Amino acid sequence: MKVTVVGTGYVGLVTGTCLAEVGNDVLCLDVDPEKIRILNEGGIPIYEPGLLDMVKRNVAAGRLHFTTDVDKAVQFGTVQFIAVGTPPDEDGSADLQYVTAAARSIGQRMTDYKVIVDKSTVPVGTADKVRAAVAGELEKRGVEVPYSVVSNPEFLKEGAAVEDFMRPDRIVVGADDERAINLMRALYAPFQRNRERLLVMDVKSAELTKYAANAMLATRISFMNELANLAEKLGADIEMVRQGIGSDPRIGYHFLYPGCGYGGSCFPKDVKALLKTAKDAAGIDLKVLNAVEEANEAQKHVLTRKIKARFGDDLRGKHFALWGLAFKPNTDDMREAPSRELIADLLAAGATVSAYDPVATHEAKRIFGDDARVALVDSANAALEGADALAIVTEWKEFRSPDFDTLKARLKAPVVFDGRNLYDPAFPRSCGIEYFPIGRL
């Protein structure tokens, strides 16, 4: 099948590449010539494990192509995926300008039947806006061309996006006509050979499903963070509590790890957008989700509170090491990352920082620029040199088994603030290290 994907970010590039991997002929469009230059020269503009090799393999096979030519892209694919960004607007709603612009571009150029697929995370009602945008352009042209609009939300985890696409646990398709549904079934058939994973529903239900999923996961995280903070006050161990409630099959263990807050491009944005949609479209105040967002914003400062409790509010002359900058492991994404809040807090209190992340250094350089107070170093041990304490913000695998003797020797004071509870508290303490986890004894 010929497929066009509009947008070469995390969702678009993974979608296009994985569809090419199973034999489709895919053309990826982006209006950013720099992204297309990188792709045509054999690189990728994002970091995602396994993606670069798959891109190279499918380009070499002639199944995957990249372009900035909108005319070519619209004419190419029967299925047109819209996978552009939907950044949060000033009021918290999802900014749909890029989605509707892509829809208008298709409507201005299409000459035969198209299935226009909303792959971007969009609020309920977006398919109606896409349909109206296409119809408006066709009307301007004075032509009638058949088309369908489908909601096909992505459920990809950054850091495991390729695996998630190739082996999905569900494929949600929101559509209201059989022709489009049959094409989507054919497109996704290679990904569900051992069992049916495709869930067909109405368009609005599909749009809401994506937001509901992310909101539920965000709720579990904030709930555990609140319990961890309570456990500290009560003298309980949140790890024991996690095991105790996770063993209940009605609850399970997923997303029950307390820490220093969630970040990234999805959870913060989607919670805000769902709150805004509920308020504007239905006049409903989602009290639970308001609390989830409030709890998460507070949790991003939990390490700051622990550091100031140990060193005092005035941190002038203090230097702190940070391990981890990305919002989660296996990505270079620092959008809404807790590390950014911690660094801002430390700098505001007069401290300086040395930070290390295995892959997000280039993104950190873009964010912090030439700020002399933030040193970006190339190893975990280098970050420790001359630091008064270490703060662990991202749970990269290489941080899980450090040499505590080396860590202790390199720090001015053997103090570790662990925002991800990577260690059994007894072990670093047995090495003479002051250890401050989240919600643990």
Side-chain angles (χ1 to χ4, degrees), residues 81-136:
F81 280 93
I82 298 177
V84 296
T86 54
D89 217 334
E90 291 182 3
D91 62 0
S93 61
D95 186 347
L96 298 178
Q97 63 172 310
Y98 305 112
V99 172
T100 54
R104 286 195 300 271
S105 293
I106 295 169
Q108 290 162 3
R109 296 167 174 83
M110 59 189 287
T111 56
D112 58 358
Y113 176 72
K114 303 292 182 187
V115 178
I116 302 168
V117 183
D118 286 334
K119 195 67 174 172
S120 303
T121 299
V122 293
V124 176
T126 299
D128 292 338
K129 294 179 180 179
V130 168
R131 192 176 290 109
V134 175

Side-chain angles (χ1 to χ4, degrees), residues 26 34 57 62 93 100 280 322 336 371 380 386 417 436:
V26 179
E34 179 62 15
R57 180 167 62 249
S93 61
T100 54
D280 292 352
L322 260 69
E336 302 278 350
D371 193 330
F417 300 92
F436 298 91

Side-chain angles (χ1 to χ4, degrees), residues 325-370:
L325 292 166
F327 85 94
K328 62 180 285 188
N330 298 319
T331 181
D332 59 354
D333 195 344
M334 289 183 61
R335 285 173 288 183
E336 302 278 350
S339 64
R340 298 177 67 165
E341 297 295 333
L342 176 58
I343 290 173
D345 289 346
L346 294 176
L347 297 184
T352 55
V353 171
S354 291
Y356 166 70
D357 189 282
V359 302
T361 300
H362 70 286
E363 179 65 8
K365 288 179 179 177
R366 185 189 67 79
I367 293 168
F368 297 110
D370 298 324

